[in-house]
Structure formats: structure tokens, C-alpha cells
Amino acid sequence: MTPARPHLVWDWNGTLLNDLSLVVAATNVAFASVGGPVVTSDEHRVRFRRPIAEYYAEVLGQAVDDDEFGRLDRIFHDAYRSGLTTCELAADARTAMAAWPGSQSLLSMWFHEELVPTVHTYGLTGHFTRVDGLRATVGGDRKAESLERHLAELGVDGASVMLIGDSIDDADAALAVGGRAVLYTGGFTDPARLRASGHPVADTLTDAVALAQEVSSAGR
């Protein structure tokens, strides 16, 4: 039996979209609302993780329950929206997408109703067989269940999936469906953390696509 042709799932925030500075600024607005500290981009990359409520609790030095996280998440997203027009795609995003020979889709943990028009604004919609964001009112959770639903809608077997993202959670999601991941150092996570994970790591998106092709070919 011939294995299924590899399918590439892209992450959005911190991967195709270069929005680290905006995310850190919006995070600091949320922290300031409860008298929390200011975090730098480097500190954020070392400490950020999902569920995001756990990251917030660590930085704030106090428990963050569902109600409190919901409030902080709304503050974060209000600040994020106000700066979104300042963000650009990663420098080689378009080149990297063009280099993948198979089908591609996009899965983000950002709100679906905002993601879809934003992707269209950047002129990327036609590259993807499907675009999915978060269909919930509060964000911050892990990606695995969303990836499972995304692939079910596509009719794609998880074992044929390569995922390119910027967080350990992206790799965990890929493993959860039987796929594999290449992690990109230009996003929300400190490169040393990514390299320590044992997953393939790339410093550019074009290198990530090349690695994804190598990994998928080796597994066939």
C-alpha cells in the first residue's frame, strides 16, 4: 500500500505571522491590570507555555482560576487587536509556503472569526485547503484536540501530517495525532527549549520546510 502523500499544517501566530513583539506587549497590558511585572521578549520566550493560565500564574506568583484567566485573556486580546495592523509575515513565509510540494492547511489557536479575514488580508487564503482557528470565547488551551478536529474535517490521516510551529505544544499536538513536527526558532519559544525537545528545529521557515520534507521522506 502506498503511504499517503504528506500534508503540511502551518501554525499562524509566531510562525507565519511575526507577532512576537505585539504578543509580549499585549501580555504586559494584561499583567499590568493586576499589578504584575513587565516581561521582556526573551523572558516570555523562556517561560511561555500552554495552558497559558499556567504561564500567567507562574509570572504573577498567584493562582489564576478560569474566571480570572477569562478576564486577563479579554484584556490581552483587546490590546492585541489594537496593534495587529503593525504585524508582518515572517520574512520568508511566502517562499517557504511555495516550497512545499503537497497540500497545506492552517491551524491557529487564535479566534476563528478573526483569523480567517486576517489570513485573507495577507493574500494567503488560496494556499490552504482549510483554515481553522479557535471556536471558543476564551483562548489559552493546548492544541491537540483542535488539530484532531482540523484533520478530521480535511479527511487527512494524522500519520501523514507534518506540522511547522514555534512551540513545544505544536509538537505535542502533532505527536498526539501520530504526526511529526518541525519547530521554528523565530517565534514565541526560546530556541534552547526547542532544541532540548528532541524535535527537528529550524531557524528559518524555508529551512523548516526543507526539514519537513526530509523527515516525511524518511518515514515513508
Side-chain angles (χ1 to χ4, degrees):
M1 181 177 176
T2 303
R5 187 182 179 94
H7 173 81
L8 177 59
V9 179
W10 287 98
D11 174 54
W12 179 242
N13 303 97
T15 303
L16 289 175
L17 185 67
N18 182 15
D19 60 349
L20 173 63
S21 295
L22 176 57
V23 165
V24 173
T27 299
N28 281 323
V29 172
F31 289 165
S33 73
V34 290
V38 173
V39 296
T40 65
S41 291
D42 286 344
E43 289 168 340
H44 180 87
R45 297 179 88 205
V46 167
R47 302 174 80 173
F48 178 80
R49 64 185 182 277
R50 289 180 179 272
I52 296 174
E54 293 182 3
Y55 165 54
Y56 283 9
E58 178 188 310
V59 173
L60 296 173
Q62 62 190 50
V64 176
D65 62 21
D66 289 347
D67 289 342
E68 178 67 357
F69 179 73
R71 191 183 73 81
L72 292 170
D73 193 58
R74 286 190 293 274
I75 293 169
F76 167 86
H77 280 101
D78 285 345
Y80 181 87
R81 290 181 191 101
S82 70
L84 185 57
T85 56
T86 67
C87 293
E88 298 181 352
L89 296 177
D92 61 342
R94 297 181 192 277
T95 303
M97 293 173 66
W100 179 256
S103 58
Q104 304 176 61
S105 60
L106 178 66
L107 177 62
S108 172
M109 298 304 286
W110 187 36
F111 300 122
H112 183 78
E113 67 275 11
E114 297 179 66
L115 172 71
V116 171
T118 300
V119 171
H120 181 75
T121 297
Y122 286 99
L124 300 181
T125 305
H127 291 277
F128 303 119
T129 55
R130 186 176 180 88
V131 174
D132 278 320
L134 184 68
R135 289 173 170 84
T137 57
V138 177
D141 211 347
R142 294 185 173 96
K143 198 169 195 169
E145 289 186 8
S146 294
L147 179 59
E148 186 176 353
R149 288 191 295 270
H150 179 71
L151 298 181
E153 292 291 342
L154 283 166
V156 169
D157 179 12
S160 69
V161 165
M162 290 298 310
L163 189 152
I164 294 177
D166 66 316
S167 75
I168 305 297
D169 184 65
D170 287 316
D172 290 344
L175 290 178
V177 300
R180 287 154 294 180
V182 174
L183 299 177
Y184 166 60
T185 63
F188 299 165
T189 309
D190 180 69
R193 287 177 61 197
L194 298 181
R195 293 191 173 96
S197 72
H199 295 280
V201 174
D203 294 326
T204 68
L205 293 181
T206 47
D207 284 349
V209 167
L211 264 177
Q213 289 181 255
E214 290 177 19
V215 172
S216 61
S217 296
R220 301 187 77 180

